[in-house]
Amino acid sequence: MGKSKTKNQKKSRATANHVAEQTYAAVPHSFVFHRGQIGKNVAQLIVDVRRVMEPYTAESLKVKKKNVLKDFVAIAGPLGVTHFMIFSKTPTTINMRLARLPKGPTLYFRVLKYTLIKDVVSSLKKHRMHEQQFTHHPLLILNNFGADGMHIKLMATMFQNMFPSINVQKVSLNNIKRCVLLNYNPESQEIELRHYSLKVVPVGMSRGVKKLMQEKFPNMSKFEDISELLMKGTNLSESEAEQDGEHNITELPQVYSGRGNMASQQSAVRLTEIGPRMTLQLTKIQEGIGEGNIIYHSLISKTEEEIQEILNRKEAQLKEKECRRKKQAENVAQKKEKREQHKKNSLEGIKKKRAEAEEDSEVEDPGMQDGQEVAAESDDEVEYYRQAVGEEPDEDMFPSVKKRRGAEKSHGPAKKRKLSSDKPPRKDMDAKRNDQGQNRGKTGKVWNKSGHRENMKLGGSKFATKKPGHRENKFSGKKKFEGKKSLGKKNKDKSFKSKGQKAKPGFKKKGGGARQGFKQWKGKG
């Protein structure tokens, strides 16, 4: 098992992480992406530009077709992104936009020429590019950006703010492994971007000594003494000869990585291009990100009056937009207030109805007697019948009223029915009902209790009860019950005969005996 961390180790590590987070958050970050349809070479150019901007850029940023510029702006704030480099392609040109977040400005460039990393590296005899070079940000070098013109100064400021600043007093030379050169040509108004790898070598010594200081030791099998290597340096290729001069020789203030690079000693700084290359031309500068006033345009020039007219028109549009927003906000607030008032009134109405219902249930009718039920309101048809005829309707005439009254009565406890001997037999009651049904079934005529026929008139027209009479003839007519009795005798004999019951005489005798016994019993009674 490893040793547990002490309090000092934990404290020092937490302090280092805190300092690293503060340092990382203070430096600028960038997004490099495209908009619209681009080709294969432009896509590779975007990857190479991300390589230049490492380590403070999104190396594997995924861009979808449905993404808009507002999506990148929305996530740029939480991630600390300060600059956008946006590439786009038209049928004639390739464009690049450089935007400063969150409020601009935006610089529009036209990419006149470009060369990818693979093409630059393939053209060199020896190249120096390894992963350790991309762990630190590159050194920015600006050339010829001191010319007159506000657009040139603004360009220089934008390029400077894209890369972390360097404190000369505290910088470590071993962290500087790359450099980005931006050269402005005032005549052609073009900007050349180059990306180099740095190498520092000592000067003031022979080629033989330099060979000894390298990792690979030279072959000295043909030498009799080591002094021959140091003094003559024979059998060494001419390509290893010094090509340094006053333009790249300097005195090192610190110890630099590499054999022979000592502090306060002369060393030469050598540059090796690693790509990519780009030749840019500024077209225009705009306020904001994708929208705003045009500060500078290389092709179109406007007078002060035209610029003032554009500003006045823009100001009027902004005022109109602000008025629409205020009006919309007022409408929303008014609708919300109406909705709340309607809700309040609805709740008050519900409470009032409940209170009235409770009061009505508690108050008793002074005219009602104990145990008397509240009479239900009669139906419109029943009341109309009473006023027209002057009599109570039959129960079968309005079945809906009967059902409702039956349902109201069914709420109470059911009473037991007692059979009384005073009631007439069932057969007599059926015959009486059949007689009433036949008399009522005639159209436009009603039999009263005394047996006389009457015609009823209402407003000069006859009032007849066809449906109730028809219903009684259908269900309680005399002929239909007699028909059933006749069918009972004949159909029984036919059915037994048709089913082949001839071979069963015992069944007939048994049935006949039963009939005779019934007659005898009836006669005896």
Side-chain angles (χ1 to χ4, degrees), residues 248-266:
N248 65 336
I249 295 176
T250 183
E251 184 177 339
L252 294 177
Q254 300 175 5
V255 177
Y256 194 82
S257 60
R259 296 185 179 182
N261 294 321
M262 305 297 293
S264 302
Q265 297 294 330
Q266 295 289 330

Side-chain angles (χ1 to χ4, degrees), residues 32 62-63 74 82 209 256 293 321 359 378 392 470 511 520:
V32 184
K62 302 297 181 182
V63 182
T82 57
V209 176
Y256 194 82
N293 300 327
K321 189 175 181 180
E359 291 177 0
S378 60
E392 291 292 330
H470 178 66
Q520 290 175 3

Side-chain angles (χ1 to χ4, degrees), residues 385-426:
Y385 184 87
R386 288 191 189 126
Q387 293 177 4
V389 181
E391 294 180 1
E392 291 292 330
D394 295 333
E395 295 178 355
D396 297 335
M397 190 175 294
F398 301 101
S400 60
V401 179
K402 183 179 178 181
K403 288 181 181 178
R404 183 169 59 82
R405 291 179 178 176
E408 292 176 356
K409 291 180 180 179
S410 62
H411 292 293
K415 296 182 179 180
K416 296 182 180 180
R417 295 182 63 185
K418 296 181 180 180
L419 297 175
S420 60
S421 57
D422 299 338
K423 292 184 180 179
R426 188 175 185 82

